[in-house]
Structure formats: C-alpha cells, structure tokens
Amino acid sequence: MRYVIEITPQQQERPRATVKMIGKKPVVRVVDPPKSRSAKKRIAQELKKKNITPTDKPIKAIIDIFVEIPKSYTKKKKAAIEAGELRPAKKPDVSNYIKLIEDACNGILYIDDSQIVEVLGRKFYSETPRIEIEIIEL
C-alpha cells in the first residue's frame, strides 16, 4: 500500500532531558521537542483519516521525502531538479526524517516499527513538499 501525506517533512530532533526533584531524589524525564511531537501528530492524523488496519507482519518500508525547492535556486538548478539530476544532498539527513516517520506510523500502518526489517529512504526536491510511504508485507 502507498500513502501520500501532504505536509512539509520534518526531521526528528534530539530529545530534551529535564531533571525534576521529587523530594531529595532527582527524576530525569526525556521528551520529544515540540516540532517533532507536532509533526508526528500531523502524520498520524492524516493516516488515521484513511481507515488503515495495522499489519502485524514483517514489512519493507519505502519512504520518499519531498522537500521544497529553495527560492534562491536559479533556473538552471531548477531545470536540473526537473531532469532528476539534482537531489537535496544537504542537511537534514534522510535518516532523521525516516525515524520521525517510522515513529508516527506506530499503531497505524503497523503495530510497532520493530516490524520494519528493510527500509529505503529517498529525498527529492518538489514544488509540493510531502511524504510518500509504501508498505510491503514480507
């Protein structure tokens, strides 16, 4: 199954740790940064609209990330993008996008992201930023 999520892709940011004293004992709490938490929520909301039954089988995930073409790019660079000759080989890393997407899909496309036994992640430029996910049961 292939799913298109019409949102601007967001990378998984580093978790933040806070320390709170409970009595004399420090308690460490690790939380997702707000941008990551918000992006996961938006992805989950979009997928839930599609009434998907999560699979319990091992899966292969193909994740295509389409990022916006920078406004500063020349016509020559934009032509190279359209010809498939120029891809976004810059930060953020494709793996940072993938981690956020895998976490967001837990309980929706699959029961847990530990079921993913093979993954292919790709970044492209596009006039319409989005995420495309293909799930293949193995």
Side-chain angles (χ1 to χ4, degrees), residues 58-115:
I59 57 171
K60 174 181 180 176
I62 301 170
I63 302 172
D64 292 334
I65 296 125
F66 294 87
V67 296
E68 190 171 6
I69 300 169
K71 304 270 187 246
S72 62
Y73 275 17
T74 63
K75 287 182 182 180
K76 185 177 179 180
K77 279 190 175 180
K78 288 180 180 179
I81 289 168
E82 292 207 11
E85 299 166 359
L86 183 62
R87 302 258 304 263
K90 60 179 186 159
K91 291 189 180 219
D93 304 347
V94 71
S95 59
N96 290 340
Y97 286 116
I98 289 172
K99 183 60 185 151
L100 182 137
I101 295 164
E102 287 175 346
D103 289 348
C105 295
N106 272 335
I108 302 168
L109 297 181
Y110 36 78
I111 294 169
D112 187 75
D113 58 357
S114 63
Q115 293 168 244

Side-chain angles (χ1 to χ4, degrees), residues 37-52:
R37 193 170 47 245
S38 174
K40 287 177 186 178
K41 186 177 179 181
R42 286 193 326 255
I43 291 169
Q45 287 171 340
E46 289 301 312
L47 288 172
K48 285 178 182 176
K49 291 177 186 176
K50 302 177 189 306
N51 293 323
I52 303 162

Side-chain angles (χ1 to χ4, degrees), residues 6 22 62 65 83 126:
E6 301 284 341
I22 297 182
I62 301 170
I65 296 125
S126 176

Side-chain angles (χ1 to χ4, degrees), residues 18-29:
T18 60
V19 179
K20 184 177 181 179
M21 296 299 288
I22 297 182
K24 293 183 180 182
K25 187 176 180 181
V27 176
V28 178
R29 184 173 164 224

